[in-house]
PDB file of all heavy atoms in Angstrom:
ATOM      1  N   ALA A 203      18.936  -3.378   1.082  1.00 98.00           N
ATOM      2  CA  ALA A 203      18.581  -4.148  -0.139  1.00 98.00           C
ATOM      3  C   ALA A 203      19.649  -5.183  -0.412  1.00 98.00           C
ATOM      4  O   ALA A 203      19.312  -6.350  -0.696  1.00 98.00           O
ATOM      5  CB  ALA A 203      18.473  -3.182  -1.348  1.00 98.00           C
ATOM      6  N   TYR A 204      20.891  -4.818  -0.247  1.00 98.00           N
ATOM      7  CA  TYR A 204      22.003  -5.702  -0.521  1.00 98.00           C
ATOM      8  C   TYR A 204      21.957  -6.908   0.469  1.00 98.00           C
ATOM      9  O   TYR A 204      22.120  -8.055   0.068  1.00 98.00           O
ATOM     10  CB  TYR A 204      23.330  -4.962  -0.393  1.00 98.00           C
ATOM     11  CG  TYR A 204      24.539  -5.812  -0.802  1.00 98.00           C
ATOM     12  CD1 TYR A 204      24.659  -6.274  -2.100  1.00 98.00           C
ATOM     13  CD2 TYR A 204      25.564  -6.087   0.103  1.00 98.00           C
ATOM     14  CE1 TYR A 204      25.780  -7.005  -2.496  1.00 98.00           C
ATOM     15  CE2 TYR A 204      26.627  -6.799  -0.268  1.00 98.00           C
ATOM     16  CZ  TYR A 204      26.775  -7.276  -1.540  1.00 98.00           C
ATOM     17  OH  TYR A 204      27.858  -7.991  -1.928  1.00 98.00           O
ATOM     18  N   HIS A 205      21.712  -6.602   1.739  1.00 98.00           N
ATOM     19  CA  HIS A 205      21.594  -7.674   2.709  1.00 98.00           C
ATOM     20  C   HIS A 205      20.353  -8.543   2.497  1.00 98.00           C
ATOM     21  O   HIS A 205      20.325  -9.728   2.907  1.00 98.00           O
ATOM     22  CB  HIS A 205      21.541  -7.088   4.143  1.00 98.00           C
ATOM     23  CG  HIS A 205      22.891  -6.557   4.641  1.00 98.00           C
ATOM     24  ND1 HIS A 205      24.004  -7.321   4.673  1.00 98.00           N
ATOM     25  CD2 HIS A 205      23.285  -5.305   4.954  1.00 98.00           C
ATOM     26  CE1 HIS A 205      25.051  -6.582   5.078  1.00 98.00           C
ATOM     27  NE2 HIS A 205      24.615  -5.381   5.262  1.00 98.00           N
ATOM     28  N   GLU A 206      19.333  -8.021   1.854  1.00 98.00           N
ATOM     29  CA  GLU A 206      18.146  -8.810   1.527  1.00 98.00           C
ATOM     30  C   GLU A 206      18.312  -9.619   0.244  1.00 98.00           C
ATOM     31  O   GLU A 206      17.386 -10.412  -0.155  1.00 98.00           O
ATOM     32  CB  GLU A 206      16.925  -7.853   1.379  1.00 98.00           C
ATOM     33  CG  GLU A 206      16.488  -7.160   2.647  1.00 98.00           C
ATOM     34  CD  GLU A 206      15.613  -7.965   3.551  1.00 98.00           C
ATOM     35  OE1 GLU A 206      15.408  -9.144   3.223  1.00 98.00           O
ATOM     36  OE2 GLU A 206      15.232  -7.452   4.578  1.00 98.00           O
ATOM     37  N   GLY A 207      19.462  -9.470  -0.449  1.00 98.00           N
ATOM     38  CA  GLY A 207      19.766 -10.272  -1.618  1.00 98.00           C
ATOM     39  C   GLY A 207      19.594  -9.549  -2.958  1.00 98.00           C
ATOM     40  O   GLY A 207      19.740 -10.190  -3.996  1.00 98.00           O
ATOM     41  N   VAL A 208      19.348  -8.262  -2.906  1.00 98.00           N
ATOM     42  CA  VAL A 208      19.276  -7.481  -4.145  1.00 98.00           C
ATOM     43  C   VAL A 208      20.745  -7.291  -4.604  1.00 98.00           C
ATOM     44  O   VAL A 208      21.600  -6.908  -3.827  1.00 98.00           O
ATOM     45  CB  VAL A 208      18.631  -6.095  -3.905  1.00 98.00           C
ATOM     46  CG1 VAL A 208      18.782  -5.222  -5.149  1.00 98.00           C
ATOM     47  CG2 VAL A 208      17.128  -6.271  -3.517  1.00 98.00           C
ATOM     48  N   GLU A 209      20.971  -7.601  -5.850  1.00 98.00           N
ATOM     49  CA  GLU A 209      22.408  -7.516  -6.334  1.00 98.00           C
ATOM     50  C   GLU A 209      22.734  -6.082  -6.711  1.00 98.00           C
ATOM     51  O   GLU A 209      21.887  -5.315  -7.129  1.00 98.00           O
ATOM     52  CB  GLU A 209      22.533  -8.398  -7.624  1.00 98.00           C
ATOM     53  CG  GLU A 209      22.314  -9.874  -7.351  1.00 98.00           C
ATOM     54  CD  GLU A 209      22.177 -10.652  -8.649  1.00 98.00           C
ATOM     55  OE1 GLU A 209      23.111 -10.539  -9.547  1.00 98.00           O
ATOM     56  OE2 GLU A 209      21.130 -11.347  -8.803  1.00 98.00           O
ATOM     57  N   ILE A 210      24.002  -5.739  -6.546  1.00 98.00           N
ATOM     58  CA  ILE A 210      24.442  -4.421  -6.940  1.00 98.00           C
ATOM     59  C   ILE A 210      25.533  -4.589  -8.041  1.00 98.00           C
ATOM     60  O   ILE A 210      26.548  -5.361  -7.798  1.00 98.00           O
ATOM     61  CB  ILE A 210      25.105  -3.662  -5.739  1.00 98.00           C
ATOM     62  CG1 ILE A 210      24.014  -3.340  -4.667  1.00 98.00           C
ATOM     63  CG2 ILE A 210      25.756  -2.361  -6.222  1.00 98.00           C
ATOM     64  CD1 ILE A 210      24.562  -2.749  -3.409  1.00 98.00           C
ATOM     65  N   LEU A 211      25.346  -3.956  -9.116  1.00 98.00           N
ATOM     66  CA  LEU A 211      26.343  -3.983 -10.224  1.00 98.00           C
ATOM     67  C   LEU A 211      26.789  -2.540 -10.476  1.00 98.00           C
ATOM     68  O   LEU A 211      25.904  -1.656 -10.485  1.00 98.00           O
ATOM     69  CB  LEU A 211      25.777  -4.592 -11.527  1.00 98.00           C
ATOM     70  CG  LEU A 211      25.437  -6.085 -11.523  1.00 98.00           C
ATOM     71  CD1 LEU A 211      24.787  -6.491 -12.841  1.00 98.00           C
ATOM     72  CD2 LEU A 211      26.697  -6.891 -11.206  1.00 98.00           C
ATOM     73  N   VAL A 212      28.116  -2.384 -10.664  1.00 98.00           N
ATOM     74  CA  VAL A 212      28.655  -1.020 -10.922  1.00 98.00           C
ATOM     75  C   VAL A 212      29.542  -1.171 -12.150  1.00 98.00           C
ATOM     76  O   VAL A 212      30.465  -1.950 -12.210  1.00 98.00           O
ATOM     77  CB  VAL A 212      29.473  -0.527  -9.761  1.00 98.00           C
ATOM     78  CG1 VAL A 212      29.983   0.895 -10.072  1.00 98.00           C
ATOM     79  CG2 VAL A 212      28.672  -0.505  -8.458  1.00 98.00           C
ATOM     80  N   TYR A 213      29.153  -0.400 -13.208  1.00 98.00           N
ATOM     81  CA  TYR A 213      29.991  -0.343 -14.441  1.00 98.00           C
ATOM     82  C   TYR A 213      30.305   1.086 -14.812  1.00 98.00           C
ATOM     83  O   TYR A 213      29.560   1.979 -14.379  1.00 98.00           O
ATOM     84  CB  TYR A 213      29.244  -1.056 -15.563  1.00 98.00           C
ATOM     85  CG  TYR A 213      29.412  -2.589 -15.656  1.00 98.00           C
ATOM     86  CD1 TYR A 213      28.665  -3.417 -14.858  1.00 98.00           C
ATOM     87  CD2 TYR A 213      30.300  -3.147 -16.556  1.00 98.00           C
ATOM     88  CE1 TYR A 213      28.774  -4.778 -14.918  1.00 98.00           C
ATOM     89  CE2 TYR A 213      30.429  -4.501 -16.665  1.00 98.00           C
ATOM     90  CZ  TYR A 213      29.703  -5.341 -15.812  1.00 98.00           C
ATOM     91  OH  TYR A 213      29.857  -6.695 -15.902  1.00 98.00           O
ATOM     92  N   LYS A 214      31.283   1.277 -15.627  1.00 97.00           N
ATOM     93  CA  LYS A 214      31.615   2.580 -16.160  1.00 97.00           C
ATOM     94  C   LYS A 214      31.298   2.676 -17.686  1.00 97.00           C
ATOM     95  O   LYS A 214      31.187   1.691 -18.368  1.00 97.00           O
ATOM     96  CB  LYS A 214      33.107   2.801 -15.983  1.00 97.00           C
ATOM     97  CG  LYS A 214      33.525   3.181 -14.586  1.00 97.00           C
ATOM     98  CD  LYS A 214      35.040   3.272 -14.397  1.00 97.00           C
ATOM     99  CE  LYS A 214      35.601   4.481 -15.137  1.00 97.00           C
ATOM    100  NZ  LYS A 214      36.996   4.779 -14.702  1.00 97.00           N
ATOM    101  N   THR A 215      31.134   3.971 -18.050  1.00 97.00           N
ATOM    102  CA  THR A 215      31.041   4.210 -19.507  1.00 97.00           C
ATOM    103  C   THR A 215      32.376   4.833 -20.009  1.00 97.00           C
ATOM    104  O   THR A 215      33.124   5.395 -19.282  1.00 97.00           O
ATOM    105  CB  THR A 215      29.893   5.172 -19.866  1.00 97.00           C
ATOM    106  OG1 THR A 215      30.168   6.442 -19.227  1.00 97.00           O
ATOM    107  CG2 THR A 215      28.569   4.643 -19.431  1.00 97.00           C
ATOM    108  N   GLU A 216      32.568   4.614 -21.290  1.00 96.00           N
ATOM    109  CA  GLU A 216      33.629   5.351 -22.034  1.00 96.00           C
ATOM    110  C   GLU A 216      32.938   6.374 -22.894  1.00 96.00           C
ATOM    111  O   GLU A 216      32.026   6.053 -23.636  1.00 96.00           O
ATOM    112  CB  GLU A 216      34.420   4.351 -22.890  1.00 96.00           C
ATOM    113  CG  GLU A 216      35.607   5.007 -23.604  1.00 96.00           C
ATOM    114  CD  GLU A 216      36.459   3.993 -24.368  1.00 96.00           C
ATOM    115  OE1 GLU A 216      35.988   3.617 -25.464  1.00 96.00           O
ATOM    116  OE2 GLU A 216      37.415   3.492 -23.794  1.00 96.00           O
TER     117      GLU A 216
END
Side-chain angles (χ1 to χ4, degrees):
Y204 187 63
H205 286 302
E206 295 277 2
V208 174
E209 296 167 55
I210 296 174
L211 292 178
V212 183
Y213 274 81
K214 283 174 69 166
T215 60
E216 184 175 81

